Amino acid sequence: GTGDPEEDFNIRFQWSEAALQLLRKAFQKSDIAILGPAVKLDIGLRGVASLYSEKGGHGTHWRTHAQWNAHYTLQDGQVGHLPWTFSKSQSLRVMSGAEEEFGLAYLEVDDLFGYTAAFRCGKKMKLYSSDAEATPVDHAEPFQSCVMRGARANEENRKRLAAAGTPHALFEDQYTVHVVFSPLGPCECHGKDSIVGGSEFSLAHRTLKDACSACSNATEHVLGELTKDPEYDGTFVGAGAGANQAKEVLIEPADVASLLGWK
């Protein structure tokens, strides 16, 4: 933590909201039959900045975007993924560092983030036990049914404690959704050979070239239509997290169920 309880609370609250936004996006854009049965669900988010030369050689500008993807594991051990997809969601843009969309004359590449949120649902004590990751996937409960069961069980336990006159007491069987944030890496870059290998004159081109020197190559198919623009020069894809990113958060199953309309 930061050492400031109020600041730590604000960071956890901010990143709990970020985790919920990622969940909503993934379940909005995919079939519930795909992600609902997952026992492990990882959702990635990253900021993307593309550089364009303006017509007639009158300068350059950046355009920024947010991309998300998902990887999941089912009870039978089958794994799958949803590919990197561009999102117009303003909340995802803010979370990825790609807040301003068009016409940026200057870009600080360190302001673009890339990270994964790993979602697991279960009883809090079990999720924090030393053998949590060793639990076979065929013994783990699917995410959707765990969230719904957890929301009901927590509510029943709270009612029981309230009836006993101890509404604020903790209970051992509390369910939670545990989210762990991890940075993506390394950064990725894509550019015309004349940019990456050449000696272009503009500050923006030098920014892109310097960024590319420390990054792996981004594949063209991941960037999609960005590379089709005749004014396109290259793209930088963010990696890593901001200074105030939480490492983990706990979310009430009832909040997840309410957000996704599960009853």
Side-chain angles (χ1 to χ4, degrees), residues 17-84:
E17 291 297 304
L20 288 170
Q21 292 297 326
L22 286 173
L23 266 183
R24 179 162 64 179
K25 174 60 67 174
F27 278 93
Q28 275 181 342
K29 297 298 182 179
S30 64
D31 191 330
I32 184 64
I34 296 177
L35 297 184
V39 295
K40 293 184 176 181
L41 175 60
D42 299 342
I43 304 175
L45 179 68
R46 63 188 190 179
V48 178
S50 296
L51 179 64
Y52 297 85
S53 292
E54 297 175 5
K55 291 180 180 179
H58 300 302
T60 58
H61 66 271
W62 296 92
R63 302 175 195 167
T64 62
H65 315 267
Q67 279 188 323
W68 68 276
N69 77 346
H71 290 82
Y72 57 90
T73 304
L74 304 178
Q75 274 186 317
D76 61 5
Q78 179 182 345
V79 297
H81 78 281
L82 302 176
W84 286 110

Coordinates of all heavy atoms in Angstrom, one line a residue, residues 17-84:
E17 N -13.7 -1.0 -9.5 CA -14.5 -0.6 -10.6 C -14.0 -0.9 -11.9 O -14.7 -1.3 -12.9 CB -14.7 1.0 -10.5 CG -15.5 1.4 -9.3 CD -17.0 0.9 -9.3 OE1 -17.6 1.1 -10.3 OE2 -17.4 0.2 -8.4
A18 N -12.6 -0.8 -12.1 CA -12.0 -1.2 -13.3 C -12.2 -2.6 -13.7 O -12.5 -3.0 -14.8 CB -10.5 -0.8 -13.3
A19 N -12.1 -3.5 -12.6 CA -12.3 -4.9 -12.9 C -13.7 -5.2 -13.3 O -14.0 -6.0 -14.2 CB -12.0 -5.7 -11.6
L20 N -14.7 -4.5 -12.7 CA -16.1 -4.7 -13.1 C -16.3 -4.3 -14.5 O -17.1 -4.9 -15.3 CB -17.0 -4.0 -12.1 CG -17.1 -4.6 -10.7 CD1 -17.9 -3.6 -9.8 CD2 -17.8 -5.9 -10.7
Q21 N -15.7 -3.2 -14.9 CA -15.8 -2.7 -16.3 C -15.3 -3.7 -17.3 O -15.9 -3.9 -18.4 CB -15.1 -1.3 -16.5 CG -15.8 -0.2 -15.7 CD -17.2 0.1 -16.2 OE1 -17.5 0.0 -17.4 NE2 -18.1 0.5 -15.3
L22 N -14.2 -4.3 -17.0 CA -13.6 -5.3 -17.8 C -14.5 -6.6 -17.9 O -14.7 -7.1 -19.0 CB -12.2 -5.8 -17.3 CG -11.1 -4.8 -17.5 CD1 -9.8 -5.3 -16.8 CD2 -10.8 -4.6 -19.0
L23 N -15.1 -7.0 -16.8 CA -16.0 -8.1 -16.8 C -17.2 -7.8 -17.7 O -17.7 -8.6 -18.5 CB -16.5 -8.4 -15.4 CG -15.7 -9.5 -14.6 CD1 -16.4 -9.7 -13.3 CD2 -15.7 -10.8 -15.4
R24 N -17.8 -6.6 -17.5 CA -19.0 -6.2 -18.3 C -18.7 -6.2 -19.8 O -19.4 -6.7 -20.6 CB -19.5 -4.8 -17.9 CG -20.7 -4.4 -18.7 CD -21.5 -3.3 -18.0 NE -20.7 -2.1 -17.9 CZ -21.1 -0.9 -17.4 NH1 -22.4 -0.9 -16.9 NH2 -20.4 0.1 -17.4
K25 N -17.5 -5.7 -20.2 CA -17.2 -5.6 -21.6 C -17.0 -7.1 -22.2 O -17.6 -7.4 -23.2 CB -15.9 -4.9 -21.8 CG -15.3 -4.9 -23.2 CD -16.3 -4.3 -24.2 CE -16.5 -2.8 -24.0 NZ -17.3 -2.2 -25.1
A26 N -16.3 -7.9 -21.4 CA -16.1 -9.3 -21.9 C -17.4 -10.1 -22.1 O -17.7 -10.8 -23.1 CB -15.2 -10.0 -21.0
F27 N -18.3 -9.9 -21.1 CA -19.6 -10.7 -21.1 C -20.6 -10.0 -22.1 O -21.5 -10.7 -22.6 CB -20.2 -10.8 -19.8 CG -19.6 -12.0 -19.0 CD1 -18.5 -11.8 -18.1 CD2 -20.1 -13.3 -19.1 CE1 -17.9 -12.8 -17.4 CE2 -19.5 -14.3 -18.5 CZ -18.4 -14.1 -17.6
Q28 N -20.5 -8.7 -22.3 CA -21.3 -8.0 -23.3 C -21.0 -8.5 -24.7 O -21.9 -8.6 -25.6 CB -21.2 -6.5 -23.2 CG -22.0 -5.8 -22.2 CD -21.8 -4.3 -22.2 OE1 -20.8 -3.8 -22.7 NE2 -22.7 -3.6 -21.6
K29 N -19.7 -8.7 -25.0 CA -19.2 -8.9 -26.3 C -19.0 -10.4 -26.6 O -18.5 -10.7 -27.7 CB -17.9 -8.2 -26.6 CG -18.1 -6.6 -26.5 CD -19.0 -6.1 -27.6 CE -19.1 -4.6 -27.5 NZ -20.0 -4.1 -28.6
S30 N -19.3 -11.3 -25.7 CA -19.2 -12.7 -26.0 C -20.4 -13.5 -25.5 O -21.2 -12.9 -24.8 CB -17.9 -13.3 -25.3 OG -18.1 -13.1 -23.9
D31 N -20.6 -14.7 -26.0 CA -21.7 -15.5 -25.6 C -21.5 -16.0 -24.1 O -20.4 -16.4 -23.8 CB -21.7 -16.7 -26.5 CG -23.0 -17.5 -26.4 OD1 -23.6 -17.5 -25.3 OD2 -23.5 -18.1 -27.4
I32 N -22.5 -15.8 -23.3 CA -22.4 -16.2 -21.9 C -22.1 -17.7 -21.8 O -21.4 -18.2 -20.9 CB -23.8 -16.0 -21.2 CG1 -23.7 -16.3 -19.7 CG2 -24.9 -16.8 -21.8 CD1 -22.7 -15.5 -19.0
A33 N -22.4 -18.5 -22.9 CA -22.1 -19.9 -22.8 C -20.6 -20.2 -23.0 O -20.1 -21.3 -22.7 CB -22.8 -20.6 -24.0
I34 N -19.8 -19.1 -23.4 CA -18.4 -19.3 -23.6 C -17.7 -19.0 -22.3 O -16.9 -19.8 -21.8 CB -17.9 -18.4 -24.7 CG1 -18.5 -18.8 -26.0 CG2 -16.4 -18.4 -24.7 CD1 -18.1 -17.8 -27.2
L35 N -18.0 -17.8 -21.7 CA -17.2 -17.4 -20.5 C -17.9 -17.8 -19.2 O -17.2 -18.0 -18.2 CB -17.1 -15.9 -20.5 CG -16.2 -15.3 -21.6 CD1 -16.1 -13.8 -21.5 CD2 -14.9 -15.9 -21.7
G36 N -19.2 -18.0 -19.2 CA -19.9 -18.4 -17.9 C -19.4 -19.6 -17.3 O -19.2 -19.7 -16.1
P37 N -19.1 -20.7 -18.1 CA -18.6 -22.0 -17.5 C -17.1 -21.9 -17.1 O -16.6 -22.9 -16.6 CB -18.8 -23.0 -18.6 CG -19.7 -22.3 -19.6 CD -19.5 -20.9 -19.5
A38 N -16.4 -20.8 -17.4 CA -14.9 -20.8 -17.2 C -14.6 -20.9 -15.7 O -15.3 -20.3 -14.8 CB -14.3 -19.5 -17.7
V39 N -13.6 -21.7 -15.3 CA -13.2 -21.7 -13.9 C -12.0 -20.8 -13.7 O -11.7 -20.4 -12.6 CB -12.8 -23.2 -13.5 CG1 -14.0 -24.1 -13.6 CG2 -11.7 -23.7 -14.4
K40 N -11.3 -20.4 -14.8 CA -10.3 -19.4 -14.8 C -10.6 -18.4 -15.9 O -10.8 -18.9 -17.0 CB -8.9 -20.0 -14.9 CG -8.4 -20.9 -13.8 CD -7.0 -21.4 -14.0 CE -6.5 -22.1 -12.8 NZ -5.1 -22.6 -12.9
L41 N -10.5 -17.1 -15.6 CA -10.9 -16.1 -16.6 C -9.9 -15.0 -16.5 O -9.8 -14.3 -15.4 CB -12.3 -15.6 -16.4 CG -12.8 -14.5 -17.3 CD1 -12.7 -14.8 -18.8 CD2 -14.2 -14.1 -16.9
D42 N -9.1 -14.7 -17.5 CA -8.2 -13.6 -17.5 C -8.6 -12.7 -18.7 O -8.7 -13.1 -19.8 CB -6.8 -14.1 -17.8 CG -6.2 -15.1 -16.8 OD1 -6.8 -15.1 -15.7 OD2 -5.3 -15.8 -17.0
I43 N -8.7 -11.4 -18.3 CA -9.1 -10.4 -19.3 C -8.0 -9.3 -19.4 O -7.5 -8.8 -18.4 CB -10.4 -9.7 -18.9 CG1 -11.5 -10.7 -18.7 CG2 -10.8 -8.6 -20.0 CD1 -12.8 -10.1 -18.2
G44 N -7.5 -9.1 -20.6 CA -6.4 -8.2 -20.8 C -7.0 -6.9 -21.4 O -8.0 -6.8 -22.1
L45 N -6.2 -5.8 -21.1 CA -6.5 -4.5 -21.6 C -5.2 -3.8 -21.9 O -4.3 -3.8 -21.2 CB -7.3 -3.7 -20.6 CG -7.7 -2.2 -21.0 CD1 -8.7 -2.2 -22.1 CD2 -8.2 -1.5 -19.8
R46 N -5.2 -3.0 -23.0 CA -4.0 -2.3 -23.4 C -4.3 -1.1 -24.2 O -5.3 -1.0 -24.9 CB -3.0 -3.2 -24.1 CG -3.5 -3.7 -25.5 CD -2.5 -4.7 -26.1 NE -2.8 -5.0 -27.5 CZ -2.1 -5.9 -28.2 NH1 -1.1 -6.5 -27.7 NH2 -2.4 -6.1 -29.4
G47 N -3.5 -0.1 -24.0 CA -3.6 1.2 -24.8 C -2.7 1.0 -26.1 O -1.6 0.5 -26.1
V48 N -3.2 1.6 -27.2 CA -2.6 1.5 -28.5 C -2.5 2.9 -29.1 O -3.5 3.6 -29.1 CB -3.4 0.6 -29.5 CG1 -2.7 0.5 -30.8 CG2 -3.5 -0.9 -28.9
A49 N -1.4 3.3 -29.6 CA -1.2 4.6 -30.2 C -0.6 4.4 -31.6 O 0.4 3.8 -31.8 CB -0.3 5.5 -29.4
S50 N -1.3 5.0 -32.6 CA -0.8 4.9 -34.0 C -0.4 6.2 -34.5 O -1.1 7.2 -34.2 CB -1.9 4.3 -34.9 OG -2.2 2.9 -34.5
L51 N 0.6 6.3 -35.3 CA 1.2 7.5 -35.8 C 0.8 7.6 -37.3 O 0.9 6.7 -38.1 CB 2.7 7.5 -35.6 CG 3.4 8.8 -36.2 CD1 3.0 10.0 -35.4 CD2 4.9 8.6 -36.1
Y52 N 0.4 8.9 -37.7 CA 0.0 9.1 -39.1 C 0.7 10.4 -39.6 O 0.8 11.4 -38.8 CB -1.5 9.3 -39.2 CG -2.3 8.0 -38.8 CD1 -2.6 7.8 -37.5 CD2 -2.7 7.1 -39.8 CE1 -3.3 6.6 -37.1 CE2 -3.4 6.0 -39.4 CZ -3.7 5.7 -38.1 OH -4.3 4.6 -37.8
S53 N 1.2 10.3 -40.8 CA 1.7 11.5 -41.5 C 0.5 12.2 -42.2 O -0.3 11.6 -42.9 CB 2.8 11.2 -42.5 OG 3.9 10.7 -41.9
E54 N 0.4 13.5 -42.0 CA -0.7 14.3 -42.6 C -0.4 14.6 -44.1 O 0.8 14.6 -44.5 CB -0.9 15.6 -41.8 CG -1.3 15.3 -40.4 CD -1.3 16.6 -39.5 OE1 -1.2 17.7 -40.1 OE2 -1.5 16.5 -38.3
K55 N -1.4 14.7 -44.8 CA -1.3 14.9 -46.3 C -0.5 16.1 -46.6 O -0.5 17.1 -46.0 CB -2.7 15.1 -46.9 CG -3.6 13.8 -46.8 CD -5.0 14.1 -47.4 CE -5.8 12.8 -47.4 NZ -7.2 13.1 -48.0
G56 N 0.4 15.9 -47.6 CA 1.2 16.9 -48.1 C 2.4 17.2 -47.2 O 3.2 18.1 -47.4
G57 N 2.7 16.2 -46.3 CA 3.9 16.3 -45.5 C 3.8 17.4 -44.4 O 4.8 18.0 -44.0
H58 N 2.6 17.8 -44.0 CA 2.4 18.9 -43.1 C 2.3 18.5 -41.6 O 1.5 18.9 -40.9 CB 1.2 19.7 -43.5 CG 1.2 20.3 -44.8 ND1 2.2 21.2 -45.3 CD2 0.4 20.1 -45.9 CE1 2.0 21.5 -46.5 NE2 0.9 20.9 -46.9
G59 N 3.2 17.6 -41.3 CA 3.3 17.2 -39.9 C 2.7 15.8 -39.6 O 2.4 15.1 -40.6
T60 N 2.6 15.4 -38.4 CA 2.2 14.1 -37.9 C 1.2 14.3 -36.8 O 1.1 15.3 -36.1 CB 3.3 13.2 -37.5 OG1 4.0 13.9 -36.4 CG2 4.3 13.0 -38.6
H61 N 0.4 13.2 -36.5 CA -0.4 13.2 -35.4 C -0.6 11.7 -34.9 O -0.5 10.8 -35.7 CB -1.8 13.8 -35.6 CG -2.6 13.1 -36.6 ND1 -2.6 13.3 -37.9 CD2 -3.6 12.1 -36.4 CE1 -3.4 12.5 -38.6 NE2 -4.0 11.8 -37.7
W62 N -0.9 11.6 -33.6 CA -1.2 10.3 -33.0 C -2.7 10.1 -32.9 O -3.5 11.0 -32.6 CB -0.6 10.1 -31.7 CG 0.9 10.2 -31.6 CD1 1.7 11.3 -31.5 CD2 1.8 9.1 -31.7 NE1 3.0 11.0 -31.5 CE2 3.1 9.6 -31.6 CE3 1.6 7.7 -31.9 CZ2 4.3 8.8 -31.7 CZ3 2.8 6.9 -32.0 CH2 4.1 7.4 -31.9
R63 N -3.2 8.8 -33.0 CA -4.5 8.4 -32.6 C -4.4 7.3 -31.6 O -3.6 6.4 -31.8 CB -5.3 8.0 -33.8 CG -5.5 9.0 -34.9 CD -6.2 8.4 -36.1 NE -6.0 9.2 -37.3 CZ -6.3 8.8 -38.6 NH1 -6.9 7.6 -38.8 NH2 -6.1 9.7 -39.6
T64 N -5.2 7.3 -30.5 CA -5.1 6.3 -29.5 C -6.3 5.4 -29.5 O -7.4 5.9 -29.8 CB -4.8 6.9 -28.1 OG1 -5.8 7.7 -27.8 CG2 -3.5 7.6 -28.2
H65 N -6.2 4.2 -29.0 CA -7.3 3.2 -29.0 C -7.1 2.4 -27.7 O -6.0 2.3 -27.1 CB -7.3 2.3 -30.2 CG -7.1 3.1 -31.5 ND1 -8.1 3.5 -32.3 CD2 -5.9 3.4 -32.1 CE1 -7.6 4.1 -33.3 NE2 -6.3 4.1 -33.3
A66 N -8.1 1.7 -27.4 CA -8.1 0.7 -26.3 C -8.4 -0.7 -26.9 O -9.3 -0.8 -27.8 CB -9.1 1.0 -25.2
Q67 N -7.7 -1.7 -26.5 CA -8.0 -3.1 -27.0 C -8.1 -4.0 -25.7 O -7.5 -3.8 -24.7 CB -6.8 -3.6 -27.8 CG -6.8 -3.2 -29.3 CD -5.7 -4.0 -30.0 OE1 -4.6 -4.3 -29.5 NE2 -6.0 -4.3 -31.2
W68 N -9.0 -5.0 -25.8 CA -9.2 -6.0 -24.8 C -9.2 -7.4 -25.4 O -9.5 -7.6 -26.6 CB -10.5 -5.7 -24.0 CG -11.7 -6.0 -24.8 CD1 -12.4 -5.2 -25.6 CD2 -12.5 -7.3 -24.8 NE1 -13.4 -5.8 -26.2 CE2 -13.5 -7.1 -25.7 CE3 -12.3 -8.5 -24.2 CZ2 -14.5 -8.1 -26.0 CZ3 -13.2 -9.5 -24.5 CH2 -14.3 -9.3 -25.4
N69 N -8.9 -8.4 -24.6 CA -8.9 -9.8 -25.0 C -9.3 -10.6 -23.8 O -9.4 -10.1 -22.6 CB -7.7 -10.2 -25.7 CG -6.5 -10.5 -24.7 OD1 -6.6 -10.1 -23.5 ND2 -5.5 -11.2 -25.2
A70 N -9.4 -11.9 -23.9 CA -9.7 -12.8 -22.8 C -9.2 -14.2 -23.1 O -9.1 -14.6 -24.2 CB -11.2 -12.9 -22.6
H71 N -8.7 -14.8 -22.0 CA -8.3 -16.2 -22.0 C -9.1 -16.9 -20.9 O -9.3 -16.4 -19.8 CB -6.8 -16.4 -21.8 CG -5.9 -15.9 -22.9 ND1 -5.6 -14.5 -23.1 CD2 -5.4 -16.5 -23.9 CE1 -4.9 -14.4 -24.1 NE2 -4.7 -15.6 -24.7
Y72 N -9.5 -18.2 -21.2 CA -10.3 -18.9 -20.2 C -10.0 -20.3 -20.2 O -9.5 -20.9 -21.2 CB -11.8 -18.6 -20.5 CG -12.3 -19.1 -21.8 CD1 -12.7 -20.4 -22.1 CD2 -12.3 -18.2 -22.9 CE1 -13.1 -20.7 -23.4 CE2 -12.7 -18.5 -24.2 CZ -13.1 -19.8 -24.4 OH -13.5 -20.2 -25.6
T73 N -10.3 -21.0 -19.0 CA -10.1 -22.4 -18.9 C -11.4 -23.0 -18.3 O -12.0 -22.5 -17.4 CB -8.9 -22.7 -17.9 OG1 -7.7 -22.1 -18.3 CG2 -8.7 -24.2 -17.8
L74 N -11.8 -24.1 -19.0 CA -13.0 -24.8 -18.5 C -12.7 -25.9 -17.6 O -11.6 -26.3 -17.4 CB -13.8 -25.3 -19.8 CG -14.1 -24.2 -20.8 CD1 -14.8 -24.9 -22.0 CD2 -15.0 -23.1 -20.3
Q75 N -13.8 -26.5 -17.0 CA -13.6 -27.6 -16.0 C -12.9 -28.8 -16.6 O -12.2 -29.5 -15.9 CB -14.9 -28.0 -15.4 CG -15.4 -27.2 -14.3 CD -16.7 -27.7 -13.6 OE1 -17.6 -28.1 -14.3 NE2 -16.7 -27.8 -12.3
D76 N -13.1 -29.1 -17.9 CA -12.5 -30.2 -18.5 C -11.1 -29.9 -19.0 O -10.4 -30.8 -19.6 CB -13.3 -30.7 -19.7 CG -13.5 -29.6 -20.8 OD1 -12.9 -28.6 -20.7 OD2 -14.2 -29.9 -21.8
G77 N -10.5 -28.8 -18.6 CA -9.2 -28.4 -19.0 C -9.0 -27.7 -20.3 O -7.9 -27.3 -20.7
Q78 N -10.1 -27.7 -21.1 CA -10.1 -27.0 -22.4 C -9.8 -25.5 -22.2 O -10.4 -24.9 -21.3 CB -11.4 -27.2 -23.1 CG -11.5 -26.5 -24.5 CD -12.8 -26.7 -25.2 OE1 -13.6 -27.5 -24.8 NE2 -13.1 -25.9 -26.2
V79 N -8.9 -25.0 -23.0 CA -8.6 -23.5 -22.9 C -9.1 -22.9 -24.2 O -9.2 -23.5 -25.3 CB -7.1 -23.3 -22.7 CG1 -6.7 -23.9 -21.4 CG2 -6.3 -23.9 -23.8
G80 N -9.4 -21.6 -24.1 CA -9.8 -20.8 -25.3 C -9.4 -19.4 -25.1 O -9.0 -18.9 -24.0
H81 N -9.6 -18.6 -26.1 CA -9.4 -17.2 -26.0 C -10.3 -16.4 -26.9 O -10.8 -16.9 -27.9 CB -7.9 -16.9 -26.3 CG -7.6 -16.9 -27.8 ND1 -7.4 -18.0 -28.5 CD2 -7.4 -15.8 -28.6 CE1 -7.1 -17.7 -29.7 NE2 -7.1 -16.4 -29.9
L82 N -10.5 -15.1 -26.6 CA -11.1 -14.1 -27.4 C -10.0 -13.2 -27.8 O -9.3 -12.7 -27.0 CB -12.2 -13.4 -26.6 CG -13.3 -14.3 -26.0 CD1 -14.3 -13.4 -25.2 CD2 -14.1 -15.0 -27.1
P83 N -9.9 -12.9 -29.1 CA -8.7 -12.1 -29.6 C -8.8 -10.7 -29.2 O -9.8 -10.2 -28.8 CB -8.8 -12.3 -31.2 CG -10.3 -12.5 -31.4 CD -10.8 -13.3 -30.2
W84 N -7.6 -10.0 -29.4 CA -7.6 -8.6 -29.1 C -8.6 -7.8 -30.0 O -8.7 -8.0 -31.2 CB -6.2 -8.0 -29.4 CG -5.2 -8.3 -28.4 CD1 -4.1 -9.2 -28.5 CD2 -5.1 -7.8 -27.1 NE1 -3.4 -9.3 -27.4 CE2 -4.0 -8.4 -26.5 CE3 -5.9 -7.0 -26.3 CZ2 -3.6 -8.2 -25.1 CZ3 -5.5 -6.7 -25.0 CH2 -4.4 -7.3 -24.4

